[in-house]
């Protein structure tokens, strides 16, 4: 089990650290929380103890029956302070060790990260900026801060990154492999929308979850990832270059623009096959009678990519079919000149659209077939990216 020390200092964003601790525990990470005296004025130790199942430490002298601060430091695979106050940042920059958090910071032998969180004027103060620069020079990774509305009501940089973003970063560091280092990977995700009029559109039930999981996994392995996504409710993975599109034609152009620079293209999107022959500028009024729509075919992105593919490029497609899945997927693989296709049956009891799990069969152009049991889309992504790595190695 990997262990993370989560240092929590005394800022409003301390409540976000509880969410972060919970997320890391769900990822099977052991979380040792160290709080400052100021932090426990914001969130109680009981919250973190309950979330992590481990004792929460505040006092440097309170080691009776606990592992010592040196042992705590030694077992850490990552040291993270979130939120990091201006005060704690100053202490870390100057090597002070006047509480357990700052003492342990000096004793760890693992990557150290801080996520500053403070009022934007505090953040802009030259002393704070100089302290952050010192930490960066000493190898600390500085996460954020983001700009936005702050707890004090002001706008500007100083917001702590969201827990989900920090989770991505932490997992990237802990699980980092460099199997795809330097590889340009293009992923598409989500549905597209084809408007009838300004308020109505044709679309489908794709949530984008599979594509986002693939982008996240490829980035975790060192790839340089571009994610082109139709409308979804998902947060783009941290460290991924992100482009949002609406229609299939927009997705087509965005993908074609990036295609030649991409070594691997994974088309997990479900772009609409048809668009309206005519998009009305004004809302179509109810007239109590039938309304006929003329649909015209959209460009077939995958087919076009297969045609334009250069030797060495790897093209991965998805096939959501109802019945005869494997046979249909094989045909699609051949017709669209893919290197790999990930097939799933959308007629079964487990409809993958929008779900967190998926049951897929992976077929490669060399004829190998692997049927996976039902698993989370994150796990499916790991299997797919393992296969992509294998294909790259065999080229
Ligand atoms: C309501 C309240 C909110 C605060 N929020 C922040 C904050 O977001 N960032 C910060 O750097 N300090 C903030 N402070 C000030 C710190 O709590 C103070 O500097 C404290 O000494 C920090 O101690 P620590 O770094 O040991 O946790 C806040 C103080 C109060 C009373």
């Amino acid at each position: 089990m990997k262990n993370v020390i989560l240092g929590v200092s005394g800022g409003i964003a301390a409540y976000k650290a509880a969410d972060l601790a919970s997320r890391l525990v769900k990822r099977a990470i052991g979380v040792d929380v160290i709080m400052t005296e100021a932090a426990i004025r914001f969130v109680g130790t009981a919250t973190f103890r309950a979330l992590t199942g481990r004792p929460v430490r505040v006092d440097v002298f309170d080691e009776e029956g606990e592992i010592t601060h040196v042992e705590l430091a030694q077992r850490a695979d990552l040291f993270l302070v979130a939120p990091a106050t201006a005060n704690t940042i100053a202490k870390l920059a100057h090597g002070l060790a006047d509480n357990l958090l700052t003492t342990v910071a000096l004793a760890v032998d693992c990557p150290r990260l801080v996520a500053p969180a403070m009022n934007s004027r505090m953040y802009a103060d030259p002393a704070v900026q100089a302290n952050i620069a010192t930490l960066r020079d000493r190898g600390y990774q500085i996460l954020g801060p983001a700009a936005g509305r702050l707890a004090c009501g002001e706008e500007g940089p100083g917001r702590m990154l969201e827990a989900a973003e920090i989770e991505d970063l932490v997992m990237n560091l802990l699980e980092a492999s460099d199997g795809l280092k330097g590889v340009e990977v293009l992923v598409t995700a989500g549905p597209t929308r084809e408007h009838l009029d300004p308020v109505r559109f044709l679309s489908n039930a794709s949530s984008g979850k599979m594509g986002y999981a693939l982008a996240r996994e490829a980035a975790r392995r060192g790839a340089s990832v571009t994610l082109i996504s139709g409308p979804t409710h998902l947060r783009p993975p941290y460290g991924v270059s992100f482009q949002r599109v609406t229609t299939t034609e927009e997705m087509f152009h965005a993908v074609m623009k990036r295609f030649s620079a991409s070594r691997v293209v994974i088309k997990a999107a479900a772009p609409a096959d048809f668009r309206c022959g005519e998009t009305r500028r004004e809302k179509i009024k109810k007239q109590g009678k039938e309304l006929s729509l003329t649909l015209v075919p959209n460009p077939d992105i995958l087919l076009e990519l297969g045609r334009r593919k250069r030797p060495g490029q790897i093209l991965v497609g998805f096939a959501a079919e109802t019945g005869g899945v494997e046979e249909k997927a094989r045909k699609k693989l051949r017709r669209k000149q893919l290197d790999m296709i990930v097939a799933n049956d959308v007629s079964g009891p487990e409809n993958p659209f929008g779900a967190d799990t998926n049951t897929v069969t992976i077929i490669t152009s060399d004829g190998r077939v692997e049927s996976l049991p039902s698993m989370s889309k994150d796990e499916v992504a790991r299997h797919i990216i393992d296969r992509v790595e294998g294909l790259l190695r065999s080229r």
Side-chain angles (χ1 to χ4, degrees):
M1 174 186 254
K2 300 264 185 185
N3 288 299
V4 168
I5 292 179
L6 173 59
V8 183
S9 57
I12 303 270
Y15 76 92
K16 290 190 188 174
D19 182 20
L20 176 59
S22 154
R23 286 168 177 274
L24 295 177
V25 168
K26 283 187 193 135
R27 298 291 207 115
I29 305 294
V31 182
D32 290 307
V33 174
I34 303 179
M35 301 179 76
T36 64
E37 290 286 353
I40 57 178
R41 307 280 292 264
F42 291 87
V43 184
T45 55
T47 301
F48 288 101
R49 193 170 56 238
L51 289 171
T52 63
R54 291 187 177 186
V56 174
R57 307 280 296 270
V58 180
D59 189 343
V60 74
F61 295 103
D62 187 16
E63 298 201 328
E64 216 169 307
E66 309 284 356
I67 64 167
T68 68
H69 65 277
V70 176
E71 288 166 334
L72 203 58
Q74 274 167 355
R75 78 173 181 191
D77 297 293
L78 193 132
F79 174 86
L80 161 70
V81 187
T85 58
N87 180 53
T88 290
I89 287 169
K91 289 184 190 177
L92 294 176
H94 292 84
L96 264 66
D98 67 342
N99 62 21
L100 184 64
L101 179 57
T102 49
T103 304
V104 169
L106 298 176
V108 292
D109 182 22
C110 61
R112 294 185 291 190
L113 291 74
V114 294
M118 66 198 72
N119 165 280
S120 50
R121 271 174 289 118
M122 284 174 81
Y123 178 67
D125 186 275
V128 173
Q129 287 300 315
N131 289 334
I132 289 178
T134 301
L135 288 181
R136 194 174 276 124
D137 283 349
R138 301 218 174 109
Y140 271 83
Q141 197 170 326
I142 314 296
L143 313 185
R149 196 182 145 77
L150 304 168
C152 54
E154 290 179 22
E155 297 265 345
R159 261 172 77 95
M160 187 170 100
L161 292 191
E162 294 306 320
E165 290 178 301
I166 300 179
E167 175 196 357
D168 269 1
L169 264 153
V170 167
M171 296 312 294
N172 282 357
L173 286 170
L174 290 179
E175 293 182 346
S177 80
D178 53 6
L180 288 178
K181 199 174 167 71
V183 178
E184 299 276 349
V185 175
L186 176 61
V187 182
T188 67
T192 57
R193 285 182 185 171
E194 304 296 346
H195 274 272
L196 280 64
D197 68 13
V199 295
R200 302 186 182 92
F201 53 81
L202 298 172
S203 190
N204 60 62
S206 166
S207 66
K209 285 179 186 167
M210 194 62 244
Y212 281 55
L214 285 159
R216 187 174 288 114
E217 184 59 28
R220 191 165 285 160
R221 300 190 193 194
S224 163
V225 182
T226 301
L227 174 61
I228 297 174
S229 173
T232 72
H233 297 293
L234 304 174
R235 178 183 55 81
Y238 199 79
V240 161
S241 148
F242 183 74
Q243 186 177 355
R244 192 175 289 291
V245 295
T246 303
T247 66
T248 295
E249 281 188 307
E250 283 170 20
M251 186 172 275
F252 178 85
H253 292 300
V255 168
M256 293 308 154
K257 211 166 154 191
R258 305 258 349 149
F259 184 51
S260 63
S262 307
R263 182 81 198 280
V264 177
V265 180
I266 308 179
K267 286 276 307 148
D273 293 330
F274 300 95
R275 66 178 182 277
C276 299
E278 175 200 12
T279 304
R280 307 275 180 90
R281 293 250 205 94
E282 284 171 13
K283 188 179 163 195
I284 302 168
K285 292 281 174 222
K286 267 197 299 224
Q287 287 176 340
K289 54 181 185 183
E290 272 182 19
L291 173 70
S292 300
L293 294 175
T294 306
L295 300 179
V296 297
N298 264 327
D300 186 329
I301 304 175
L302 201 52
L303 186 69
E304 191 55 34
L305 291 177
R307 283 189 187 136
R308 296 190 190 187
K309 192 171 69 163
R310 293 189 318 271
Q313 277 185 309
I314 288 176
L315 190 52
V316 180
F318 276 71
E321 304 287 355
T322 47
V325 176
E326 203 176 305
E327 196 36 47
K328 286 180 185 159
R330 273 182 207 284
K331 274 197 191 135
K332 185 168 174 179
L333 179 111
R334 277 194 299 273
R335 195 166 58 84
K336 304 206 174 179
Q337 303 181 54
L338 310 180
D339 299 280
M340 186 166 122
I341 193 157
V342 183
N344 50 25
D345 193 338
V346 293
S347 63
E350 185 198 32
N351 187 333
F353 278 109
D356 288 320
T357 56
N358 204 354
T359 309
V360 303
T361 299
I362 302 177
I363 305 169
T364 35
S365 52
D366 59 8
R368 282 176 54 194
V369 179
E370 186 185 13
S371 293
L372 300 174
S374 172
M375 57 180 72
S376 75
K377 287 185 175 171
D378 287 342
E379 284 172 276
V380 174
R382 281 198 280 278
H383 278 273
I384 294 171
I385 301 291
D386 280 348
R387 287 299 200 84
V388 167
E389 273 193 36
L391 287 174
L392 283 170
R393 274 196 303 271
S394 68
R395 295 287 159 96

